[in-house]
Amino acid sequence: MYLTSGPVAEQGLLGARELYGIEAQRIADLGTGAGVFGQRAKHVWPAAGRFGFEIRSAEHFAARHYDAGFHVGNYFAQDARRELRRWRPDLIVSNPPYTRARDTLALSLEEVSPRGHVLLLLRSTFGGSEDDDEQLRRTPPLDEWSIPGRLRLKRGTGRTGRPLGGDFVGHIFMLFRAGRQGRPTPVWQRRLLPPLPSAWLGWTVRPGDEHEVEPLPREFWPRKEVGRG
């Protein structure tokens, strides 16, 4: 499983709140894995309801880290989409499988509530293919935030015994709003996020394990709220 860095995830969530005034009430986390996005979201929007979808059924064990609703299954399937429509999220967040990033974006913009927002953590190469480019021209983002440095996948051995590798491709956040239409030459904001200590760029922290990572960045994970839940 590839785990999103908690400080990185919260940096993107804080950007959505502070730069665009987003006050989420219902959050859906697509491809939630261990639930890092959803767990960090409760510190940015404490009153918001959260629901996680994990697309890889082999990783159902990740649900033990998630303290909100959790659904295992292909979120492109009709039953999962019906769950999304019933939930009617006003914010969808995702660190999607990189081969399904464009499809995840299109689905999210269809299922998020009108005028809702979609925040994706993507490889910086997103937009490089003709299909990606066409999608961004139809539904351009509001903003793009480059993450300084390189995120790292957790090293070691996976459950199958195969080694886990590193990933040193650059990453970005893209923030989208439902209903935003493209132009022949779409334009959007591009920013460089403040740098984080290199140790915080590792994809290693699961919700409930924060006590094992010291020191924690107070601005991303308030000390009084650290716990095993």
Side-chain angles (χ1 to χ4, degrees):
M1 182 191 305
Y2 300 147
L3 304 175
T4 307
S5 159
V8 170
E10 198 151 337
Q11 194 176 40
L13 295 165
L14 285 169
R17 188 188 70 186
E18 300 300 329
L19 293 173
Y20 286 89
I22 295 172
E23 293 298 337
Q25 301 298 317
R26 296 173 305 282
I27 302 169
D29 182 3
L30 302 186
T32 188
V36 174
F37 255 124
Q39 299 293 66
R40 289 328 191 268
K42 76 177 180 181
H43 296 285
V44 180
W45 298 285
R50 292 165 294 119
F51 199 99
F53 286 85
E54 174 48 54
I55 191 169
R56 294 161 291 195
S57 59
E59 295 180 1
H60 66 276
F61 67 93
R64 71 188 187 277
H65 295 289
Y66 207 76
D67 64 359
F70 189 94
H71 177 85
V72 177
N74 183 351
Y75 57 71
F76 295 102
Q78 287 304 310
D79 59 339
R81 296 188 69 157
R82 282 193 292 270
E83 289 286 339
L84 269 177
R85 293 185 190 119
R86 280 197 290 267
W87 182 241
R88 198 172 179 78
D90 52 21
L91 175 65
I92 292 178
V93 298
S94 181
N95 172 17
Y98 73 92
T99 58
R100 304 301 302 273
R102 182 178 63 256
D103 298 333
T104 299
L105 170 58
L107 178 146
S108 298
L109 289 171
E110 288 178 12
E111 302 302 344
V112 76
S113 64
R115 307 294 290 180
H117 292 83
V118 175
L119 178 67
L120 300 186
L121 175 60
L122 302 161
R123 291 186 175 194
S124 58
T125 53
F126 183 76
S129 72
E130 290 185 8
D131 289 338
D132 289 351
D133 178 75
E134 182 181 347
Q135 179 69 51
L136 291 176
R137 288 179 184 276
R138 289 197 307 269
T139 58
L142 289 171
D143 218 330
E144 176 183 322
W145 309 323
S146 295
I147 300 170
R150 294 290 184 267
L151 300 182
R152 297 183 300 280
L153 298 184
K154 185 175 182 180
R155 294 188 178 277
T157 303
R159 299 181 76 206
T160 63
R162 297 177 62 185
L164 301 175
D167 186 352
F168 296 94
V169 175
H171 284 75
I172 58 176
F173 283 105
M174 280 189 171
L175 179 68
F176 300 81
R177 185 181 65 220
R180 176 172 160 83
Q181 299 298 313
R183 301 175 180 175
T185 306
V187 176
W188 59 85
Q189 291 267 12
R190 287 183 170 89
R191 312 172 199 245
L192 182 65
L193 290 173
L196 295 172
S198 61
W200 297 347
L201 299 180
W203 303 45
T204 56
V205 181
R206 293 172 181 262
D209 294 338
E210 290 81 7
H211 62 287
E212 298 179 6
V213 182
E214 298 288 350
L216 290 172
R218 184 174 180 81
E219 64 270 30
F220 297 126
W221 190 269
R223 176 73 56 184
K224 65 181 180 179
E225 297 179 353
V226 172
R228 287 184 170 273

